Amino acid sequence: MDETLMHQIPWTFAYAGTSDHRFYDRHWLACVDAEGRGAFISGIAFYKNMGVADGYFCVQQGDQQHNTRFSRPLNEDMQNLRISDFEIRIAEPFKRLEISLTGDTSPLSAELAFEANFDPYCESHYVDSRGGRIGQEITRYDQSGRWSGWIDLGSGRLDVQDWWGFRDHSWGVRPGVGGFDRSVADPRTKLSATPATPSLSMLHVMMTFELGDRFVTAMCREDAAGNPTYVDGEVITRDGRHTGVRSMEFEVEFHPGTRAHRKVSARIVADDGSEFDVEATPFLHPWAYAGTGYDGGYRDGRGLGAWRGTVVEHDVYQFVAPDGVLMDGRPTPTGHREQFAKMVVNGRSITGYCPVMTRGALPKYGLTEEG
């Protein structure tokens, strides 16, 4: 990259444009079998100001989530998305990605390839600032497509043939890096809140799906009073036309006494007047993100981007509906949740992705600060 004329700051690409320790640059990938036989999430990130690279590969099958986490010093290799025997390759930008995990360091192994179905959508630049401190400032693009290959949990291969998937690439400044604070999606962020950066209640809903020749991504965030504070999204056709999302109205039905949802209903309206009426119900279990390293998920409790040398960790979670997670038979912190969904969009049944993230008291939904 340093041979190109694409520099943005008077430094090489080895440096970030900010000294904030929370600067990150991450690929995130997800995939699900429409028949429910399995799913995976994976990712890799560089934290230039922490000198750390970390990544994960997690598989959900039945009532279990198998987690493998990786970390290494970034200066060992800044050119390749590789940690130990885990690697993500950009075979063709915005067209094809590949995942390789040999199984040399953990029970999990895989060879997988992603083929994009649509152009990526670049979300609006997002800034969250309170008390004079940047909470988040990120850029992210999203893309859907199909995955093929195989996954092995150590007990035989799971064929991945034309599974629907979704990916994003995001970078910027975000909490939950280096062990100093928590992810914005973790209800326990109040533990790291300060008078200058209070922990504010929020509900964030995102829907991503393909409907025929259209790829739809829409997201909306509400405050404690149920007022929209952020709406974004786009409808992309196979021939490359992009239309913005004008509005997204939604309702969430939670399991009583929990933050686990059992249904999301939404109406998404695009700038060209096209409408999408969506009913989404959870498909498989919500991902327990602590297994990936988010929200203190490593064994040292410091989470993503923390310096820990070269490390490979593996564990298995057991899901207990509607929102319990066990490890070795004991309850374990889950971190925030995201989830695939079975959707009915304008009367058509499809598989999509529908995260519902909450924090703090949300009286509209009967959620208290602790509940």
Side-chain angles (χ1 to χ4, degrees), residues 42 49 69 79 82 164 185 195 206 230 244 249 304 341 357 361 366:
S42 185
N49 294 333
R69 298 175 293 275
Q79 303 300 313
R82 182 188 302 122
W164 182 81
M206 178 180 181
Y230 177 78
E249 298 177 352
L304 299 174
M357 301 182 190

Side-chain angles (χ1 to χ4, degrees), residues 52 54 71 298 300-311 313:
V52 171
D54 61 27
S71 185
Y298 280 87
D300 58 21
R302 294 185 297 150
L304 299 174
W307 177 269
R308 53 179 60 89
T310 299
V311 168
E313 298 180 354

Side-chain angles (χ1 to χ4, degrees), residues 57-370:
F57 188 82
C58 302
V59 180
Q60 194 176 136
Q61 188 176 47
D63 291 330
Q64 292 186 325
Q65 178 177 309
H66 302 254
N67 312 302
T68 299
R69 298 175 293 275
F70 305 85
S71 185
R72 67 166 171 84
L74 180 58
N75 62 6
E76 290 181 355
D77 185 356
M78 295 189 67
Q79 303 300 313
N80 296 293
L81 305 177
R82 182 188 302 122
I83 308 173
S84 187
D85 62 321
F86 169 65
E87 183 177 16
I88 294 177
R89 295 181 292 272
I90 311 300
E92 185 178 356
F94 307 117
K95 297 292 186 181
R96 181 181 172 90
L97 282 77
E98 299 169 350
I99 296 176
S100 177
L101 179 57
T102 67
D104 291 343
T105 60
S106 83
L108 294 183
S109 58
E111 289 289 341
L112 296 156
F114 171 86
E115 297 284 350
N117 287 342
F118 294 85
D119 291 343
Y121 165 55
C122 188
E123 299 177 18
S124 299
H125 186 73
Y126 182 77
V127 180
D128 174 18
S129 177
R130 300 188 304 276
R133 182 177 187 239
I134 296 295
Q136 289 190 87
E137 184 176 8
I138 61 175
T139 292
R140 174 167 46 218
Y141 58 79
D142 314 312
Q143 195 170 30
S144 72
R146 297 283 169 170
W147 287 87
S148 295
W150 55 266
I151 300 168
D152 197 321
L153 302 178
S155 57
R157 289 190 176 183
L158 179 62
D159 287 333
V160 176
Q161 297 299 329
D162 200 36
W163 289 12
W164 182 81
F166 175 57
R167 60 163 297 226
D168 74 36
H169 178 191
S170 63
W171 61 95
V173 171
R174 192 174 187 180
V177 172
F180 300 109
D181 51 14
R182 291 193 173 274
S183 162
V184 293
D186 186 346
R188 294 169 295 173
T189 49
K190 63 182 181 181
L191 298 176
S192 58
T194 69
T197 58
S199 177
L200 301 180
S201 297
M202 68 90 183
L203 172 63
H204 183 86
V205 173
M206 178 180 181
M207 289 183 165
T208 296
F209 55 87
E210 294 181 13
L211 189 68
D213 67 347
R214 291 175 292 183
F215 166 50
V216 180
T217 296
M219 61 202 76
C220 182
R221 180 171 293 194
E222 292 182 349
D223 61 17
N227 300 313
T229 60
Y230 177 78
V231 178
D232 194 25
E234 199 166 60
V235 179
I236 303 175
T237 62
R238 289 192 188 275
D239 60 5
R241 287 179 290 122
H242 293 239
T243 304
V245 166
R246 179 188 306 166
S247 64
M248 179 180 179
E249 298 177 352
F250 65 84
E251 290 289 334
V252 182
E253 182 180 330
F254 291 93
H255 289 278
T258 77
R259 292 177 181 265
H261 71 283
R262 55 188 178 192
K263 186 172 73 171
V264 182
S265 302
R267 169 164 286 188
I268 300 165
V269 181
D271 287 337
D272 62 2
S274 57
E275 298 183 359
F276 303 88
D277 289 312
V278 186
E279 280 208 358
T281 55
F283 184 37
L284 306 183
H285 294 276
W287 292 103
Y289 258 66
T292 72
Y294 279 72
D295 302 317
Y298 280 87
R299 290 173 190 160
D300 58 21
R302 294 185 297 150
L304 299 174
W307 177 269
R308 53 179 60 89
T310 299
V311 168
V312 179
E313 298 180 354
H314 177 78
D315 45 44
V316 179
Y317 291 169
Q318 184 76 31
F319 294 112
V320 181
D323 66 342
V325 179
L326 306 178
M327 185 170 67
D328 298 327
R330 297 185 296 273
T332 187
T334 63
H336 72 275
R337 311 286 188 94
E338 295 186 11
Q339 193 160 16
F340 288 104
K342 285 296 187 182
M343 297 180 172
V344 178
V345 184
N346 294 350
R348 181 173 174 181
S349 298
I350 58 173
T351 300
Y353 204 67
C354 184
V356 176
M357 301 182 190
T358 66
R359 184 179 67 229
L362 298 168
K364 175 180 176 181
Y365 294 98
L367 296 176
T368 66
E369 186 71 33
E370 301 298 330

